[in-house]
Amino acid sequence: MSYEAVIGLEIHSELKTKTKIFCGCATTFGAEQNTHVCPVCLGLPGVLPVVNKKVVEFALKAGLALNCTINKFSKFDRKNYYYPDLPKNFQTSQFDLPIAEHGYVDIEVNDTTKRIRITRIHMEEDAGKLVHAGDTIKDSASSNVDYNRTGVPLIEIVSEPDMRTAEEARAYMEKVKSILEYIDVSNCKMEEGNLRADVNVSLRPTGSEMLGTKAEMKNLNSFKMVENALEYEIERQEEILEDGGHVIQETRTWDDNKGITLSMRTKEKAQDYRYMPEPDLVPIITTDEQIAAVKKTLPELPDARRDRLIDDCGLSSYDAGVITNSREMAEYFDAVIKQNVDAKLAANWIMGDLAKNLNAAGKTIAESPVSAKNLAKMIKLIQNNTISSKIAKKVFDEMWQSDNDPELIVKEKGLVQITDTDAIEKIVDEVLLGNPKPVADYKGGNTKSIGFLVGQVMKASRGKANPAMVNKLLKEKLSQ
Amino acid sequence: MKITKQTVENVAMLSRLNIADNKMDKYIEEFSNFLEYVDVLQQVNTENIKPTAHVLPLQNVFREDIVKSSLSREAALANAPEQEDGYFKVPRIIE
Ligand SMILES: [Zn+2]
């Protein structure tokens, strides 16, 4: 029997506020353990939490950017459970009246656009961090808790179970990350846990409308992890069902080193969060005027930007997608083409040599040693035939080292392309004289040997001869 | 809803409370009384009454996103039953 996976994601994203959601403690990452804590976030008796205005503003922004309806009446609730990373023994979250509901994002997988519905977005506080004495939580006799992260504001974005493959889940998470970056509400540094996903997956016979029993994997903080964990879990459940067994509803942990999911038996027998309205926080009322005002602050979002690059710049859907996936890259691209250079050439250089060098150096495009201005200048030199694409690679490497003006580099290193017919002809003649065999081959019908001759001319000119002219001249002379 | 020993045990477990066997009957009775009272409340006609989200006539109480000083680590850990290297130390979590 063939099965179909049904996948839903809950994405937790830390908001980039300066302070926590209910108190004035700093949210800075990497502080010494238990130095960003106060009576409010430690949940000491008698304290009064007050909502950070910025959190609501960011949540509204995210809600609108993810095509949600804003709940004009929203409130906080207590989600009760016991875990040592939660000093209050409840998490302040939102239950029945989240800030935003009924949204969607569109993803592109295999050249098809698919709409993934978003059930809801709610605001909540993050929990603390556990440090285990042993290698894993399972073989630790005790654990240590750092409450610095407790109370850091989060939005939780809950999707409908609309994804069918690990690839779609990854594309969805990438899209959400991209949108959150564009609207600048989260740092989205996955290695710092700014963006993590709880993933649930079940299988059902292909074509069936019923839902199978699902397993959940929590706290996956990279796209690769989401994809790998899902692929593994889909295969695991398929094997169980094939053998006539039943999948158990449970939380499983993803062991990234071993590449497997494992059952996680916690002391909590049955999850029952016993939500209750938070008596210490009052409702949040949002007006139409406020919603309209937030809407105005939204920048051009990835989809709109991609369409613009396709329609106005003639980029392929794929290239436009890659470039607009990251706001930084999209802005760099815009800065380059503002200098009136060929958009496709710009896209090739940015996605090619620049991206390759950035990856190798572990840098983001915002930290690129090559400025958009200088890259644009270099592309212009290619366009006006001052340098060939091959020489441009040399110029680019120089720019990567120094970010010098490419015109200067070309001049200093004597890299100007030879477009003078006489000069090229001279080299061509020398090469023809010096290579009688390939010449004879060509004349005898083996036209492929021209490649060798072109190579020799380019070599003799130290790459500076205009390749198109070399080709043309060689052909003319060989057919004489 | 009928309150049984199992209901009380479950609520106790969720609240991390130990209930001695000889107190069980007492709790079953008290729980039943609470719920009977809730049944009385359920009879009130609330058709035209908005659900109460909060008892105070307040809304939109916010603070600015400005950093205030936190506690010193010593003060934060002062009431911890156990501590280690500036952390709160807790017993083994997973069974
Ligand atoms: Zn605090």
Side-chain angles (χ1 to χ4, degrees), chain A residues 20 23-25 36-42 150, chain B residues 70:
Chain A
K20 293 187 177 180
C23 64
C25 288
H36 288 174
V37 290
C38 75
V40 172
C41 54
L42 284 175
T150 305
Chain B
S70 297

Side-chain angles (χ1 to χ4, degrees), chain A residues 14-17 58 61-62 155 180-181 183-187:
Chain A
E14 278 183 2
L15 299 175
K16 56 188 278 189
T17 54
F58 282 171
K61 251 182 150 176
I155 46 172
L180 295 178
E181 273 176 354
I183 60 173
D184 206 22
V185 301
S186 171
N187 286 320

Side-chain angles (χ1 to χ4, degrees), chain A residues 15-305:
Chain A
L15 299 175
K16 56 188 278 189
T17 54
K18 293 189 189 75
T19 66
K20 293 187 177 180
I21 183 168
F22 303 124
C23 64
C25 288
T27 52
T28 343
F29 180 79
E32 290 233 348
Q33 60 270 29
N34 295 309
T35 54
H36 288 174
V37 290
C38 75
V40 172
C41 54
L42 284 175
L44 301 188
V47 293
L48 201 57
V50 184
V51 178
N52 183 343
K53 204 184 211 167
K54 206 88 195 168
V55 171
V56 180
E57 190 188 311
F58 282 171
L60 286 172
K61 251 182 150 176
L64 293 171
L66 295 166
N67 305 300
C68 291
T69 310
I70 301 298
N71 274 329
K72 289 180 195 157
F73 186 102
S74 181
K75 71 174 172 73
F76 282 101
D77 301 271
R78 293 182 175 186
K79 179 181 181 181
N80 297 283
Y81 66 94
Y82 289 82
Y83 205 69
D85 62 5
L86 201 64
K88 294 185 292 190
N89 292 336
F90 62 83
Q91 180 190 30
T92 307
S93 181
Q94 298 197 283
F95 180 51
D96 56 338
L97 293 166
I99 189 80
E101 287 180 286
H102 313 305
Y104 65 85
V105 294
D106 290 332
I107 58 166
E108 285 80 36
V109 172
N110 298 329
D111 289 330
T112 349
T113 303
K114 181 171 178 178
R115 180 154 294 182
I116 309 295
R117 292 168 300 160
I118 288 167
T119 317
R120 55 184 278 153
I121 301 175
H122 61 256
M123 302 177 281
E124 62 184 23
E125 56 183 341
D126 207 347
K129 209 178 115 200
L130 291 165
V131 183
H132 307 296
D135 288 339
T136 69
I137 190 169
K138 285 192 165 188
D139 53 38
S140 298
S142 67
S143 293
N144 286 336
V145 199
D146 171 12
Y147 287 123
N148 282 348
R149 206 177 61 186
T150 305
V152 168
L154 294 176
I155 46 172
E156 179 175 329
I157 303 162
V158 183
S159 83
E160 291 289 314
D162 285 350
M163 288 149 276
R164 296 290 170 268
T165 63
E167 203 185 353
E168 286 182 7
R170 182 194 175 121
Y172 167 75
M173 194 170 174
E174 281 179 343
K175 195 54 160 288
V176 169
K177 175 182 184 241
S178 168
I179 292 171
L180 295 178
E181 273 176 354
Y182 268 64
I183 60 173
D184 206 22
V185 301
S186 171
N187 286 320
C188 293
K189 284 189 187 153
M190 301 182 80
E191 66 284 4
E192 291 181 9
N194 289 161
L195 197 73
R196 340 188 270 270
D198 294 349
V199 176
N200 60 67
V201 55
S202 63
L203 295 192
R204 65 182 175 197
T206 310
S208 161
E209 287 295 314
M210 278 196 0
L211 288 175
T213 311
K214 66 184 176 185
E216 187 179 36
M217 288 152 295
K218 286 185 188 277
N219 274 325
L220 303 174
N221 67 351
S222 80
F223 299 131
K224 193 125 205 71
M225 265 190 184
V226 167
E227 207 173 3
N228 290 348
L230 274 169
E231 268 165 11
Y232 176 86
E233 190 55 25
I234 289 169
E235 211 168 293
R236 185 187 72 90
Q237 292 186 16
E238 205 168 270
E239 273 173 30
I240 294 175
L241 297 174
E242 284 285 315
D243 292 347
H246 297 279
V247 173
I248 303 165
Q249 176 150 3
E250 61 178 349
T251 300
R252 299 178 66 83
T253 113
W254 168 248
D255 185 327
D256 207 34
N257 292 323
K258 294 201 184 104
I260 54 171
T261 66
L262 293 164
S263 178
M264 200 167 154
R265 275 159 296 157
T266 58
K267 283 179 184 170
E268 194 80 17
K269 295 279 185 308
Q271 282 295 22
D272 180 350
Y273 293 126
R274 295 151 293 150
Y275 282 97
M276 56 173 274
E278 168 57 70
D280 289 341
L281 296 166
V282 297
I284 295 163
I285 314 292
T286 311
T287 62
D288 285 325
E289 291 73 42
Q290 275 173 292
I291 294 170
V294 174
K295 236 181 206 158
K296 267 195 198 145
T297 68
L298 293 180
E300 184 186 30
L301 293 171
D303 286 352
R305 200 156 189 161

